[in-house]
């Protein structure tokens, strides 16, 4: 990396030399805390892994479904019950994430995760105890409220605490746990689906008790987010928390505290002065809100939710191989794709490149799946082709789309409005997921439209339109600190100029000619963590 040819004022705490000195081993406490918190979506993934299989279990269908001699297995569930069982959880997540902004004014990140754990336990007691469809609906809604808090506030913690260099890695691990949860749910379903009676689905549901206990105990060893404490005006507690999270000297910690203070001051003092409407009043905040919402929503636009929520059912009703085993294999490959991506995200991790490539690939896989099934429905060769295309789809989604959608949605909000903006983005993402899980049964259930794999015709254009939006509007902020991202938005840069824009230290932004010169020379992004101090 070449030195920048203009003077810069950079805090000593974040120079390239410091980052090299304090590598991943030095940051072990912070990364361990982030890893613990990143486990929160395990519960969300576990639920989707379980519920898709439960709806194909004879033991579950005997309680909540009806006899259906004309379908595989002899039992089925009505589309209305099916859509409510899957979509009420997502609706609950939508409601709780919508309240993230107001909730963050009086509950910290850790406190909200504890509240989510309590809700999770209560909801599972209801689901396991009831044989009434109404009781099951109530449990699903409460579980959704818990998952919304888990997903939103764990992400907020990771965004605020992880060092810029490792933020992508930590948020990608967030997606790893989602996939691992889904895999475990699918594996357990595969073993219990042969059990006769209610135990076939009660045993998988019993797994839901494990995670809330583990995360609740672990959080006692983890300090609160220093940025949240600063937004509450609790400076000394924030300083103490930052010392725990960073391996830096006291002077370096003070420099980072000053960075946070100045960034918050520039955005309007503290979170207590923020409101929902502030996301849209100022043009810069409005742009950041739209980008965060759309960036996260491309995950739902890929059509993944119907494959995740109804994968086993989808394979069973389409008569494709062994449905439980197929779903487990797909989920396992998804975990591998996420792990490979996690190894790459810190070194490469270009948000735009991965999202565009992944969305195009997912669209192609969906289209070919629909075409193959349209031409030769129900044949063995068609089943094999659909499984192969499902593998390609899940590799594209888990390896490229899912992780980077969450990263983009989380990096772009302003710091003062982060809880409101990310809460809104998550809520709309959950709403899109709810809409998918609510409507999918009408398309794939044999008692309704019975499209089966032809449902891919709807999702192909959705994937490709999303890829076009990413290309035109989503900025590249890989490796940037939250304060640098603030600078670039305040400079009102077009999306294409973010990657190579030269940020300076506290107290200013680089002028336009500096960025233009950098682009002409073909240099990679230069920012405060990578610029060496230039002697005047």
């Amino acid at each position: 990396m070449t030195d920048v040819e203009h003077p810069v004022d950079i805090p000593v705490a974040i120079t390239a030399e410091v980052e090299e000195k304090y590598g991943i081993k030095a940051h072990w406490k912070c990364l361990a805390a982030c890893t613990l918190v990143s486990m929160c979506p395990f519960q969300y993934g576990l639920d989707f892994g379980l519920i898709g299989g439960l709806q194909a279990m004879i033991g579950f269908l005997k309680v909540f479904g009806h006899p259906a001699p004309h379908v595989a297995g002899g039992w089925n569930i009505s589309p209305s019950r099916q859509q409510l069982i899957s979509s009420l959880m997502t609706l609950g997540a939508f409601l709780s994430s919508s309240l993230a902004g107001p909730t963050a004014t009086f509950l910290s990140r850790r406190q909200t995760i504890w509240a989510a754990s309590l809700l999770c336990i209560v909801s599972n007691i209801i689901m396991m105890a009831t044989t009434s469809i109404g009781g099951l609906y109530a449990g699903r809604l409460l579980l959704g409220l818990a998952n919304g808090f888990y997903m939103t506030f764990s992400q907020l913690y990771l965004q605020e605490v992880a060092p810029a260099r490792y933020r992508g890695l930590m948020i990608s691990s967030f997606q790893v746990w989602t996939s691992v949860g889904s895999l475990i749910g699918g594996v357990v379903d595969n073993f219990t689906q042969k059990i006769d009676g209610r135990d076939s689905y009660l045993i998988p549901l019993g797994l839901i008790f494990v995670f809330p206990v583990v995360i609740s105990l672990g959080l006692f060893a983890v300090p609160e987010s220093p940025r949240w404490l600063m937004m509450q005006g609790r400076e000394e507690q924030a300083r103490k928390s930052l010392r725990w999270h960073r391996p830096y000297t006291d002077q370096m910690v003070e420099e980072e505290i000053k960075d946070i203070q100045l960034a918050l001051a520039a955005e309007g003092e503290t979170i207590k002065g923020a409101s929902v409407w502030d996301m849209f009043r100022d043009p810069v905040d409005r742009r950041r809100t739209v980008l965060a919402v759309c960036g996260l929503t491309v995950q739902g636009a890929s059509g993944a939710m119907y494959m995740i929520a109804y994968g086993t059912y989808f394979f069973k009703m389409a008569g494709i191989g062994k449905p439980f085993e197929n779903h487990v294999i797909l989920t396992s490959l998804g975990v591998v794709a996420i792990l490979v991506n996690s190894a790459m995200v810190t070194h490469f991790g270009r948000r735009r490149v991965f999202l565009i490539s992944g969305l195009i690939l997912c669209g192609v896989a969906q289209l070919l799946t629909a075409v193959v099934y349209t031409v030769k429905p129900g044949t063995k060769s068609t089943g094999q082709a659909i499984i192969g295309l499902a593998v390609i789809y899940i590799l594209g989604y888990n390896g490229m789309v899912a992780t980077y959608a969450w990263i983009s949605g989380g990096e772009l909000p302003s710091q003062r409005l982060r809880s409101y903006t990310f809460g809104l983005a998550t809520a709309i993402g959950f709403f899109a997921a709810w809409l998918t899980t609510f409507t999918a049964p009408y398309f794939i259930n044999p008692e309704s439209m019975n499209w089966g794999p032809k449902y891919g015709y709807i999702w192909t254009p959705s994937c490709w339109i999303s890829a076009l939006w990413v290309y035109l509007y989503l900025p590249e902020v890989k490796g940037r600190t939250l304060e640098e991202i603030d600078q670039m938005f305040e400079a009102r840069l077009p999306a294409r100029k973010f990657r190579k824009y030269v940020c300076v230290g506290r107290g200013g932004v680089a002028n336009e000619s500096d960025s233009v010169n950098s682009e002409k020379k073909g240099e990679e992004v230069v920012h405060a963590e990578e610029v060496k101090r230039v002697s005047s």
Side-chain angles (χ1 to χ4, degrees), residues 162-389:
R165 212 172 140 189
Y166 303 114
R167 190 170 61 239
L169 174 63
M170 287 296 99
I171 297 178
S172 71
S173 68
F174 182 90
Q175 192 62 35
V176 169
W177 288 112
T178 306
S179 297
V180 169
S182 184
L183 174 61
I184 291 175
V187 169
V188 173
D189 278 354
N190 183 47
F191 281 102
T192 65
Q193 50 105 5
K194 299 170 186 175
I195 298 174
D196 192 27
R198 293 183 66 216
D199 286 347
S200 62
Y201 72 89
L202 290 180
I203 293 171
L205 286 178
L207 286 178
I208 293 176
F209 287 122
V210 176
F211 175 76
V213 175
V214 172
I215 192 71
S216 296
L217 293 175
L219 284 178
F220 283 105
V222 175
E224 189 51 71
S225 160
R227 280 186 170 85
W228 183 84
L229 292 168
M230 286 294 292
M231 287 187 285
Q232 299 296 317
R234 294 152 64 176
E235 184 177 332
E236 191 51 44
Q237 288 177 284
R239 186 175 286 107
K240 183 178 178 181
S241 173
L242 194 60
R243 284 196 186 101
W244 189 94
H245 283 102
R246 298 289 186 264
Y248 303 149
T249 63
D250 286 348
Q251 180 188 359
M252 296 171 180
V253 169
E254 286 302 318
E255 292 288 353
E256 189 165 348
I257 286 288
K258 288 175 185 177
D259 278 343
I260 298 171
Q261 285 175 325
L262 289 174
L264 292 174
E267 291 182 1
E269 306 273 327
T270 68
I271 195 173
K272 294 178 181 177
S275 72
V276 173
W277 306 114
D278 287 341
M279 291 187 288
F280 306 101
R281 284 196 184 103
D282 180 76
V284 173
D285 288 331
R286 185 163 56 244
R287 180 191 181 195
R288 298 179 76 165
T289 298
V290 171
L291 288 173
V293 168
C294 294
L296 200 149
T297 306
V298 297
Q299 181 178 230
S302 68
M305 290 309 299
Y306 95 89
M307 283 293 288
I308 295 171
Y310 298 108
T312 304
Y313 181 86
F314 169 82
F315 286 130
K316 181 177 180 179
M317 294 304 163
I320 299 171
K322 298 179 179 179
F324 284 91
E325 286 85 342
N326 288 339
H327 187 63
V328 168
I329 291 169
L330 279 182
T331 309
S332 301
L333 290 171
V335 171
V336 172
I338 289 285
L339 291 172
V340 171
N341 174 71
S342 297
M344 296 172 60
V345 66
T346 301
H347 302 287
F348 187 65
R350 295 269 295 282
R351 282 64 164 153
R352 285 164 53 87
V353 172
F354 274 102
L355 279 172
I356 293 170
S357 303
L359 287 164
I360 292 173
L361 183 61
C362 286
V364 170
Q366 295 265 30
L367 178 61
L368 292 178
T369 298
V371 169
V372 167
Y373 190 77
T374 302
V375 174
K376 289 185 177 181
T379 66
K380 183 177 180 180
S381 61
T382 294
Q384 291 171 339
I386 288 175
I387 291 172
L389 289 166

Side-chain angles (χ1 to χ4, degrees), residues 55 77-84 86 306 310 313 435-451 455:
Q55 294 177 76
I77 188 169
S78 68
S80 59
R81 287 193 173 190
Q82 190 178 38
Q83 65 189 179
L84 285 170
S86 293
Y306 95 89
Y310 298 108
Y313 181 86
L435 193 63
T436 302
T437 53
F438 188 79
T439 57
Y442 285 123
F443 292 93
I444 66 175
N445 195 303
E447 296 182 10
S448 191
M449 294 176 68
N450 196 25
W451 278 24
Y455 195 30

Side-chain angles (χ1 to χ4, degrees), residues 504-536:
V504 300
R506 291 196 312 269
V509 294
N511 59 48
E512 183 70 16
S513 62
D514 292 327
S515 296
V516 172
N517 290 337
S518 176
E519 290 188 40
K520 287 180 180 178
K521 292 176 183 177
E523 296 173 356
E524 286 297 316
V525 61
V526 182
H527 56 88
E529 293 186 41
E530 296 176 343
V531 179
K532 295 181 180 179
R533 181 177 293 277
V534 179
S535 58
S536 56

